[in-house]
Structure formats: structure tokens, C-alpha cells
Amino acid sequence: MTAPKSRLFYRIRLALLGSVLAVTVLYALNDTWSRRERNAWKRPLEVAIVVAELEPVGETAMRNLTMRVPVLEERLTSELHRYRSTPERAVHLSVFGPVGVDRAPPADPKGSELLELARHTYDLWRWTHAVDQGADLSARAYDSRIYLVVRPPRNAGQKWVEGSSEQGGRVGVARVELDASMSDFALFVVSHELFHTLGASDKYGPDGRVLIPSGLAEPDRAPRFPQRAAEIMARNLPLSPDSERPPDSLAELMVGPSTAREIGWTAGP
């Protein structure tokens, strides 16, 4: 009787493993399809901006940030309609938080080892999951989630700004020293990370300078310089071949043709 029982248990384990594998494959296929569906732009994308406070930034900074979110929605819609007429609206942005956190999200892995990447993915999931719970946010309700990690400025002459995102994924992280004057620049960084999740690539070089011509908002402008706006995937607004500056406001945000192709606003390779 031992052999038949062993074979039965083996078959049960095999069936369970097969079921888990099938569910995993179906989930992965559905997730891949839904991420690609975003770039069809048949509807406005639902995007969560989740503010995580490493240190309290104050009510004024948060109020100013929230008040400028509708302006960013309008700006992105205006840019969308330079390339295509639909959908009526590019994105719907929902702000959550601030949620107090006792640690920053995990830093990007330095190497490309599979185990290191898997560990980073797990650590980032744990961090975002905790923040989502604090914000009462349902992750599945959103096409992309951008976590804006903030703290007050520590140096009046220099502001801390960093970002990292899953290329073509669902999660982006922007780190900003936020005060009442930094709302537009913080939302520019949020937009940059959002576009990474939609498949856009950086348009600046290792030195941080704008790549020419892909990093120009209007590469066909004549004369080419000064540019009127900063390309969303570049860091700065070029004033000349050798001079550039950070954007002053959301009015200076534009989506160049190279980025428009990458996220599906226009056809192309």
C-alpha cells in the first residue's frame, strides 16, 4: 500500500505545482497585456502620486503641490493633443498622502546579477506595499504609481532631486527636497518617472546634459536655440549648444517627438 500512496501524493504535489505555474503564467500574461494596453491610449491613464514624507515638509508645501496637479494634467493633455486627438484627456492624477515613512525606498541595485535584482524587486515591493497601506491605496486600481519621497531642503542653494523607475513597469520613485517654491519642479520629476513606466528613455547623457537632438522638445525649431521648453525626459531647457537651465514651471514642460514615439503617441519603430 505504500507505493500507491506515494504515487498519489506525488500526483497531488505535481498537480498543485502545475496549478501554481499556470496561475503565475496567466498573471504574467495579463499584466504584460495590460501594460501594453496603456500605450494604446484608448482612455485616460489612471495614475497615483503617493507622497511619502521622510521628514514633514509642512502644510504650505503640500497645499501648493496639490494645487498644481490639475495644471500638470492639463499640460500633459495639451502635449498629447499636439500628436493625436484622442483620448480627450491624457491622464487622471490622484494624490495620496502624505504618508510618514521611517526609511527611504531601496536604492537601485549597482549590479545586474539576477539574485540582486530579485532582492531589490522584493525590497521595493515591501516598501511600496507599506506606503500603500498607509495611504489606503489599492495598487490594482492604477496604471502607474509614482512615489514622491520628500523632505525639507537642507541647503538653500542646492535641492536634492533623484528618480528611478521600472522601464515599462508600473512603479516609479521620485526623491525631492520640497518646499513651497518647488511644486512645479517636483511634478516635472514625477512626470519624468511616469513616462519611464510608459517606456520612455532618458534624453540626457552621463554628464546630465541634454542629448541633441533627441533631448530637444522642438528639434526642428529654427533657429534651434534657445528652446522654448524642456523635454520631459531631459533634465534641462537648452538655451544654446553649451548652456541649459532647469525648467522654471510646468508651462515649460513639453514632450518631444522621440519620446512621443516611445510611449505610443505616434507611430514608429
Side-chain angles (χ1 to χ4, degrees), residues 62-139:
M62 279 302 306
R63 182 173 60 251
N64 287 3
L65 179 77
T66 303
M67 288 176 59
R68 296 297 288 174
V69 168
V71 178
L72 175 58
E73 286 185 345
E74 293 174 5
R75 188 62 187 160
L76 292 178
T77 295
S78 176
E79 286 301 286
L80 168 74
H81 291 163
R82 289 202 302 117
Y83 294 98
R84 55 187 293 161
S85 60
T86 57
E88 182 178 349
R89 189 177 185 180
V91 296
H92 177 241
L93 303 173
S94 299
V95 180
F96 292 84
V99 178
V101 295
D102 59 3
R103 59 188 175 89
D108 288 345
K110 295 180 180 179
S112 56
E113 294 290 334
L114 182 60
L115 184 61
E116 184 180 6
L117 295 174
R119 181 54 188 251
H120 175 265
T121 298
Y122 175 68
D123 289 344
L124 181 61
W125 176 84
R126 288 185 59 192
W127 187 89
T128 59
H129 182 66
V131 175
D132 290 349
Q133 287 185 316
D136 194 23
L137 181 154
S138 174

Side-chain angles (χ1 to χ4, degrees), residues 14 18 24-25 29 51 57 60 69 83 86 90 93 121 125 127 191 217 235 237 241 250 257:
L14 190 63
T24 301
V25 170
L29 289 174
V51 183
V57 295
T60 302
V69 168
Y83 294 98
T86 57
L93 303 173
T121 298
W125 176 84
W127 187 89
S191 304
R235 289 181 170 179
L237 189 160
L250 291 174

Side-chain angles (χ1 to χ4, degrees), residues 11 15 17 34 41 44 60 128 133-134 140 148 150 152 158 189 225-227 234 238 257 260 266 269:
R11 290 170 183 169
L17 289 172
S34 63
W41 296 95
T60 302
T128 59
Q133 287 185 316
R140 294 191 177 191
L148 180 59
V150 299
Q158 186 175 5
V189 178
F225 301 102
Q227 288 279 299
T266 59

Side-chain angles (χ1 to χ4, degrees), residues 95-204:
V95 180
F96 292 84
V99 178
V101 295
D102 59 3
R103 59 188 175 89
D108 288 345
K110 295 180 180 179
S112 56
E113 294 290 334
L114 182 60
L115 184 61
E116 184 180 6
L117 295 174
R119 181 54 188 251
H120 175 265
T121 298
Y122 175 68
D123 289 344
L124 181 61
W125 176 84
R126 288 185 59 192
W127 187 89
T128 59
H129 182 66
V131 175
D132 290 349
Q133 287 185 316
D136 194 23
L137 181 154
S138 174
R140 294 191 177 191
Y142 294 91
D143 295 294
S144 294
R145 308 185 318 277
I146 308 302
Y147 295 84
L148 180 59
V149 183
V150 299
R151 71 186 187 199
R154 295 179 179 175
N155 184 335
Q158 186 175 5
K159 301 292 174 65
W160 171 65
V161 176
E162 294 178 351
S164 58
S165 298
E166 297 174 339
Q167 193 81 6
R170 295 190 182 276
V171 172
V173 177
R175 303 167 178 86
V176 177
E177 287 188 335
L178 184 68
D179 61 21
S181 67
M182 284 282 289
S183 300
D184 279 25
F185 191 68
L187 290 175
F188 194 106
V189 178
V190 165
S191 304
H192 179 99
E193 299 307 326
L194 168 62
F195 273 46
H196 269 312
T197 70
L198 300 176
S201 61
D202 283 324
K203 304 296 187 301
Y204 56 85

Side-chain angles (χ1 to χ4, degrees), residues 205-216:
D207 59 356
R209 295 185 64 83
V210 174
L211 295 176
I212 309 297
S214 63
L216 299 179

